[in-house]
Amino acid sequence: MDMSEWTSQLRRGILEYCIMLLISQAPRYGYELVTLLENREPLSVTEGTLYPLLRRLQKEKYIESHWKESESGPPRKYYSLTPAGHQLLTSMSVEWHKLAVSVHHIQLHKGEEVQ
């Protein structure tokens, strides 16, 4: 098995969720998201991956953006969740929890049923 391909597929599936989690905590600009994810090495992402994802989320009306002046350079485009984005994030969180609990159960009990 090619571990890099497996890891890539796993990251792709969780990246959108992590970006929405970060945006839900506070409005964020693109480079800030890249930096925050870079600090969590398995989730690190390039701007070339991030910005198309942000554009898609904005087109689907899950996030919105606004420009804000920066004290150290040009204005920055900040992203925040819309009401639909909050609903999606809630649904994603429920699914993530169910998935994580199931995987953890299999790890602990090696797939055997426990009463």
Side-chain angles (χ1 to χ4, degrees), residues 9-49:
Q9 288 180 358
L10 187 61
R11 283 181 66 246
R12 212 171 329 184
I14 200 65
L15 188 59
E16 182 174 335
Y17 178 55
C18 291
I19 288 168
M20 290 186 66
L21 280 171
L22 289 169
I23 292 172
S24 76
Q25 297 164 355
R28 311 270 188 187
Y29 58 95
Y31 186 73
E32 179 182 17
L33 290 167
V34 169
T35 302
L36 289 167
L37 292 169
E38 195 172 72
N39 292 334
R40 306 287 186 259
E41 195 261 316
L43 295 171
S44 65
V45 64
T46 65
E47 292 178 39
T49 299

Side-chain angles (χ1 to χ4, degrees), residues 16-107:
E16 182 174 335
Y17 178 55
C18 291
I19 288 168
M20 290 186 66
L21 280 171
L22 289 169
I23 292 172
S24 76
Q25 297 164 355
R28 311 270 188 187
Y29 58 95
Y31 186 73
E32 179 182 17
L33 290 167
V34 169
T35 302
L36 289 167
L37 292 169
E38 195 172 72
N39 292 334
R40 306 287 186 259
E41 195 261 316
L43 295 171
S44 65
V45 64
T46 65
E47 292 178 39
T49 299
L50 176 68
Y51 286 108
L53 177 56
L54 291 172
R55 279 193 296 274
R56 182 178 57 76
L57 289 171
Q58 192 166 11
K59 182 179 177 190
E60 294 171 352
K61 308 233 188 287
Y62 294 125
I63 63 173
E64 56 193 5
S65 64
H66 67 277
W67 289 94
K68 186 176 177 182
E69 291 296 322
S70 170
E71 295 176 10
S72 59
R76 295 177 174 154
K77 189 176 191 178
Y78 281 80
Y79 298 91
S80 56
L81 293 184
T82 63
H86 282 285
Q87 288 179 331
L88 176 61
L89 182 57
T90 298
S91 297
M92 291 170 109
S93 293
V94 167
E95 292 303 314
W96 172 253
H97 179 73
K98 290 191 303 193
L99 182 64
V101 166
S102 295
V103 169
H104 184 71
H105 182 80
I106 290 170
Q107 287 174 323

